[in-house]
Amino acid sequence: MVQAPDLLVQTVWEGLVSGVLYALIALGFVLIFKASGVFNFAQGIMVVFAALTLVGLYEKGVPAFLAVILTLGVMFALAVTIERVVLRPLVNQPDIILFMATFGITYFLIGFGESLFGGNPKQMIAEQLYLPKGAVDLQILGGLVSLQKIDIAAAVIASLMIAALAVFFQYTRIGRALRAVADSHKAALSVGISLNQIWVIVWFTAGIVALITGIMWGARSDVSFALEIVALKALPVLILGGFTSIPGAIVGGLIIGIGEKLGEFYWGPLIGGGIESWLAYFIALGFLLFRPQGLFGDKIIERI
Amino acid sequence: MLYREAGQYKSSYASDMAVFPLKEDRIGIAVILAIALVAIPFLGSDFFIASVMIPFLVFSLAAIGLNILTGYTGLISLGTAAFMGVGAYSCYKLTTLFPGVNIIVLILVSGLFSAGIGVLFGLPSLRIKGFYLAVATLAAQFFLQWAFVRVPWLFNYNASGAIEVPQRTLFNIPLTGAAATPETRYFVCLGLVVVLTWFASNIVHGKLGRSWMAVRDMDIAAELMGIKLLNAKLAAFAVSSYFCGVAGAMMIFLWYGGGEAADVFSIRLSFNILFMVIIGGLGSLIGSFFGAAFLSILPTALKFGLPALGIPIQGAAAEHVTFMLVGALIITFLIVEPHGLARLWQIGKQKLRTWPFPY
């Protein structure tokens, strides 16, 4: 680690970038968990589904930006459908039942997405959306560090989106309503906030986040259902950050991303490599023993 | 008329508490066993036995294992496949270390290793639960799956990196390996599943099972009543992992016969078994069988059944439809009948009991 500081910088940068993307997936979870108490397992598949819809529409001859708008429409339709078909009949059920229902949504979306657009990996339409390509080489600490432009763009867009969400939550009418619902369903209902509406809004917001994550992730690798497994990384991120905290999702994402890449790069080869697949869960597990509510989470959590 | 308890008197506490208190139930289970033992092996084709019945039995056992943990004790687990894998790999190590011991004994013993690993990953369950516990089980899933590929000792440094199932015999009849006929493998599976189900039934109806259900329904109340939470939860992890481990060993040694062992025990399998439990019925042994039957037969039925009905469907499309159907079914069951197919079965029996005078 000391001999080659440039490699360290490179590794940290790569960790940072994958951390941003984990954070984006985790953000979708947090939004929904905050407003409806549903642990949305389907967030990962929503990312894939959004990206697939976008690429699929483009392949059918729709111009790129029109395809983005149409995809947003699809995500809105999805939000409405989920609220009508899944959430409304299951209201007042235990959390674990709603959690399992999102498994159902996940499987349904996998089948639906594959039958509409095929199961093969697809190329994201990065150029058509004016996303930058290529890499910047920087001279740092006596070595060359190569930064992919798309990664920089991802970090910038993610920051912008988080800022936008913060403004939305802090200063708009709907944002205030969402915070009210997050604090107490009953109190929010009694001051005339429609829960059904809030759910649609929050699932749609999560859908927008999913689309942006999907574009960014797809531009780095391909759009495929392999992302499903990556999305499971959002769980340790949430544990680290706390289930209800937006800054927590971001900090947790960065910690997991960097920790994972460093661990893989420096200690992975010692025990056979590929430890990236489970390191994040062990970090989270160790963390749980000391601070179960996460870094920024609410103090009261369900534990004995 | 068909099914009633009138005239069936119980003269002892034991007969009142019996698992099958009604004569019709006992006849029914005997008929089912007779069909499984006689009719299926003699009337079913090799294909039917090898690719429908054996998977069904293996999945049933795994679903019983998960049901003990999730359905009876209320601890959610996403790492079932990993615990199955532990069973398969420890069975493989045992066959190479003790080649003289009978394979059935080894399959049963390999579950103990799985139980040990299960307890290890169950340890955090005292402090954490719900989604938090799901992370612990996911850690087990990904760590163990990684270990199956990366720790060469587990597969005896084979160049192929896979388990090679050796030939083992009982009374000179090959039970495992290429020479074993589907019928013998089926009989071994059936024997193991019947014995272990009987075992599970006794556990869940006994003291341990009751303490699990108390923990599931309200853990704090259970603790106040004197149930030691850690003991009950770890016992649930141990028993559940034991069943999963035996199912995993059966899966590789009696069904797959080696090959792509490391890929089989993926998170997809964990989810599938969880779905079997949800659709079959949480907290019900018979539900585990229903769920396993339903989900292991559904893909085959769609693939071969729809073309037979005149609806042309390709293999890939059938798979997509299966995914959509499974997803939709999970949601439907959670909304309409949270206790799954097992509850429908119960309702059916109740109706038969009062038929033809429903009131």
Side-chain angles (χ1 to χ4, degrees):
Chain A
M1 204 181 271
V2 189
Q3 287 95 356
D6 53 328
L7 276 182
L8 176 67
V9 173
Q10 180 78 48
T11 314
V12 170
W13 166 251
E14 271 165 25
L16 208 65
V17 174
S18 57
V20 167
L21 291 163
Y22 291 154
L24 283 178
I25 297 179
L27 199 62
F29 279 93
V30 170
L31 284 174
I32 290 178
F33 191 79
K34 255 175 100 94
S36 55
V38 177
F39 188 92
N40 178 24
F41 189 81
Q43 181 67 26
I45 213 66
M46 276 166 69
V47 171
V48 182
F49 186 72
L52 265 186
T53 312
L54 178 60
V55 178
L57 283 174
Y58 181 76
E59 280 176 359
K60 296 229 156 64
V62 181
F65 281 93
L66 187 63
V68 171
I69 293 165
L70 283 179
T71 309
L72 285 177
V74 171
M75 294 318 278
F76 182 70
L78 186 70
V80 173
T81 317
I82 288 175
E83 197 275 323
R84 282 287 151 82
V85 178
V86 184
L87 294 180
R88 206 177 281 185
L90 279 176
V91 76
N92 253 343
Q93 293 280 346
D95 293 350
I96 216 85
I97 297 287
L98 284 158
F99 178 51
M100 287 179 184
T102 60
F103 275 100
I105 300 176
T106 308
Y107 263 55
F108 186 81
L109 282 183
I110 292 176
F112 191 56
E114 279 190 355
S115 57
L116 280 185
F117 305 110
N120 299 327
K122 287 186 196 297
Q123 199 93 42
M124 176 44 75
I125 42 169
E127 281 166 57
Q128 289 80 357
L129 294 172
Y130 301 108
L131 290 173
K133 244 174 76 172
V136 194
D137 289 333
L138 291 181
Q139 198 85 29
I140 296 175
L141 301 169
L144 267 186
V145 174
S146 149
L147 311 179
Q148 296 288 322
K149 277 183 190 163
I150 182 75
D151 293 346
I152 302 173
V156 171
I157 291 176
S159 322
L160 284 179
M161 192 173 71
I162 288 156
L165 278 177
V167 170
F168 171 66
F169 268 94
Q170 212 66 36
Y171 298 111
T172 63
R173 232 177 92 84
I174 298 171
R176 271 204 295 275
L178 282 173
R179 278 189 293 148
V181 171
D183 280 345
S184 162
H185 284 191
K186 275 183 201 153
L189 268 175
S190 61
V191 293
I193 295 170
S194 157
L195 270 187
N196 295 331
Q197 234 175 32
I198 290 294
W199 282 340
V200 170
I201 289 168
V202 86
W203 279 76
F204 179 47
T205 318
I208 298 173
V209 174
L211 176 60
I212 293 173
T213 318
I215 292 174
M216 289 304 156
W217 200 293
R220 298 185 74 216
S221 49
D222 284 330
V223 181
S224 74
F225 282 91
L227 188 59
E228 196 193 339
I229 299 294
V230 179
L232 286 173
K233 286 273 165 59
L235 257 164
V237 169
L238 290 171
I239 297 263
L240 234 65
F243 274 87
T244 50
S245 158
I246 289 179
I250 296 149
V251 175
L254 296 183
I255 292 175
I256 291 283
I258 294 171
E260 198 177 75
K261 282 285 185 295
L262 283 180
E264 173 71 46
F265 191 73
Y266 288 102
W267 300 292
L270 301 180
I271 51 168
I275 65 171
E276 234 178 314
S277 62
W278 51 265
L279 194 61
Y281 300 97
F282 275 77
I283 296 176
L285 211 54
F287 200 80
L288 263 180
L289 296 176
F290 299 106
R291 203 179 153 81
Q293 75 270 31
L295 286 173
F296 303 93
D298 297 339
K299 270 269 159 51
I300 313 147
I301 68 154
E302 205 194 351
R303 59 179 280 228
I304 310 144
Chain B
M1 283 301 174
L2 279 176
Y3 204 81
R4 58 181 34 184
E5 50 196 315
Q8 300 195 25
Y9 303 111
K10 285 137 197 163
S11 51
S12 70
Y13 186 64
S15 68
D16 194 33
M17 295 301 291
V19 177
F20 301 111
L22 297 185
K23 197 174 75 193
E24 286 85 351
D25 275 342
R26 287 194 293 274
I27 294 171
I29 201 85
V31 168
I32 289 170
L33 279 179
I35 290 173
L37 209 59
V38 182
I40 287 173
F42 289 105
L43 298 178
S45 64
D46 275 6
F47 170 79
F48 176 74
I49 291 172
S51 57
V52 177
M53 285 315 290
I54 293 179
F56 159 65
L57 288 172
V58 170
F59 284 136
S60 305
L61 199 60
I64 288 176
L66 183 62
N67 218 332
I68 286 173
L69 195 63
T70 305
Y72 282 96
T73 324
L75 304 167
I76 194 159
S77 166
L78 302 176
T80 321
F83 297 130
M84 289 172 75
V86 174
Y89 277 84
S90 50
C91 190
Y92 180 54
K93 287 305 285 186
L94 287 172
T95 52
T96 49
L97 291 174
F98 306 103
V101 180
N102 190 285
I103 188 76
I104 297 176
V105 176
L106 290 182
I107 287 178
L108 285 170
V109 169
S110 57
L112 295 176
F113 290 87
S114 183
I117 301 277
V119 168
L120 204 65
F121 280 98
L123 275 176
S125 69
L126 182 70
R127 274 177 69 90
I128 56 182
K129 54 185 189 181
F131 314 127
Y132 294 85
L133 189 63
V135 173
T137 55
L138 270 181
Q141 169 71 48
F142 285 110
F143 174 72
L144 292 169
Q145 207 186 335
W146 169 87
F148 297 151
V149 182
R150 303 286 178 141
V151 183
W153 179 80
L154 283 176
F155 46 85
N156 285 348
Y157 305 95
N158 282 335
S160 61
I163 293 177
E164 284 158 10
V165 173
Q167 174 153 337
R168 291 284 183 271
T169 56
L170 180 71
F171 306 129
N172 286 327
I173 303 165
L175 297 183
T176 59
T181 60
E183 281 86 359
T184 37
R185 288 185 283 135
Y186 169 75
F187 277 123
V188 176
C189 282
L190 184 68
L192 285 170
V193 169
V194 169
V195 169
L196 286 172
T197 308
W198 175 70
F199 212 69
S201 160
N202 277 330
I203 295 178
V204 298
H205 285 98
K207 187 185 168 197
L208 196 55
R210 282 174 193 279
S211 67
W212 288 339
M213 287 184 256
V215 171
R216 172 195 63 190
D217 291 340
M218 196 174 179
D219 45 6
I220 293 173
E223 200 173 16
L224 285 172
M225 284 160 62
I227 292 167
K228 292 196 175 65
L229 284 190
L230 185 64
N231 293 0
K233 285 181 176 178
L234 288 186
F237 263 101
V239 175
S240 153
S241 308
Y242 179 83
F243 279 81
C244 292
V246 173
M250 273 166 52
M251 190 171 187
I252 292 301
F253 280 74
L254 297 167
W255 172 16
Y256 270 86
E260 63 282 20
D263 302 332
V264 174
F265 300 112
S266 67
I267 191 147
R268 270 283 162 83
L269 181 63
S270 295
F271 285 159
N272 264 338
I273 292 169
L274 181 62
F275 296 162
M276 287 172 193
V277 172
I278 297 175
I279 291 180
L282 285 160
S284 151
L285 287 182
I286 192 146
S288 310
F289 285 96
F290 288 145
F294 192 78
L295 277 193
S296 64
I297 291 168
L298 181 70
T300 322
L302 279 178
K303 211 165 170 180
F304 298 105
L306 283 182
L309 288 174
I311 306 164
I313 190 163
Q314 252 104 50
E319 203 177 302
H320 303 156
V321 173
T322 314
F323 266 108
M324 283 164 69
L325 212 59
V326 168
L329 273 173
I330 288 168
I331 295 170
T332 315
F333 266 104
L334 286 174
I335 293 171
V336 181
E337 189 51 88
H339 296 287
L341 291 167
R343 178 86 189 123
L344 296 180
W345 173 253
Q346 244 177 12
I347 292 172
K349 280 209 303 191
Q350 192 60 38
K351 291 244 187 282
L352 275 180
R353 218 158 152 182
T354 50
W355 184 83
F357 307 111
Y359 298 107

